[in-house]
Amino acid sequence: MAHTSASPGALLRHVRKGRARSRAELVALTGASRNTISARVDQLIGANLLEEGGRGWSTGGRPPTILRFNSRAGCVLAVDLGVTSVDVAVTDLSAQVLATVGHPIDIADGPGPVLAEVDRLAQKVLADAGLTPADVRAVGVGVPGPVEFSTGRPSHPPIMPGWHDHPIPGAFGRYDCPVYVDNDVNVMALGEMGVTDSTDDVLVVKVGTGIGCGVIVEGRVYRGAQGSAGDIGHIYVAQPDDRTVLCRCGNENCLEAIAGGGALLRDALAAGLPVTSTRQVIELANHGDGPAVELVRNSGRTIGTVLAALVNFFNPHRIVMTGGVAQAGLPLLAGIRETVYRRSMPLAARSLEISVSDAPEMSGRVGAALMAIEGYLDEDAIHQALAR
Ligand SMILES: [Zn+2]
């Protein structure tokens, strides 16, 4: 078996992910010497990140002492910022939610008032969990728009007026810790992967008002050169009869302008259906209303043509559908499946699984927590923490 890194951060990760549970297993996994492993494990125990539990099975000699990750060595704040509401949670270092609170907001009020509300909720949720700002090790924030990940600044977000280039991490000055900001779809994708040690390639596709995709490569979020990877809502889709549909981005015939939640409502109104919201279109379709079923299924087929191309290009293990429209819409999923399996190459489609998220309402918070935890427990960060 190939040996893996034996840096303190890597050792911590091996224990956290369940790959090793004792010093002996860490030696076997990494190929490092027993002395090196013992010294680094002692450092991690000294930093309160690892703890010693009971004794495990032995194959001879003294039974090994079990090592455990101390997930209560601190907490993280997880912020799931939406267009009309915000949820703030505090979790331990294994993304276990300790307390959570939500509140309606209007993202268009701009960063000042919205982030002041987030600050208030964060203080409340910490108090609810019996924790203080000094316990917070990192903050994770998901926002409904494109973000330059390295700086935590939104970049021309179409549905967040006033937020362009605003330094969101600055709103968390009362916490002496790093702040990670990413777009909501990447964050939800992390939440879908959970704390497991998966190395799968996964597409997490959110269909709500807009359409976006979190790209998971070997278990990790792939952001691309500038952080805009997975922005599939603005991929061009050819239309029959040369119809052109203008998108809010200024281009014509973008996927979300043709098949997103807003498009669904527009087409339903044009067809004379008695609805005032996308949700009502979905409900009609789920009750078997013929024209509504056809509209929703058609949206699914259109989304499916783009996903089929992505499947041919990326060959994922799984596609997970999430977001308000995807969650509610069985005819949507049927349309997506129909097209993806018909249009993908057989080898890529053979064992491809297309499912709907199990816990879509929590994945934004859990994902934001995981983003913060992975940042805090990053190898370089551990190295620096131990050097102090
Ligand atoms: Zn567009």
Side-chain angles (χ1 to χ4, degrees), residues 233-234 247-249 251 254:
H234 303 279
C247 178
R248 64 185 177 192
C249 76
N251 277 327
C254 293

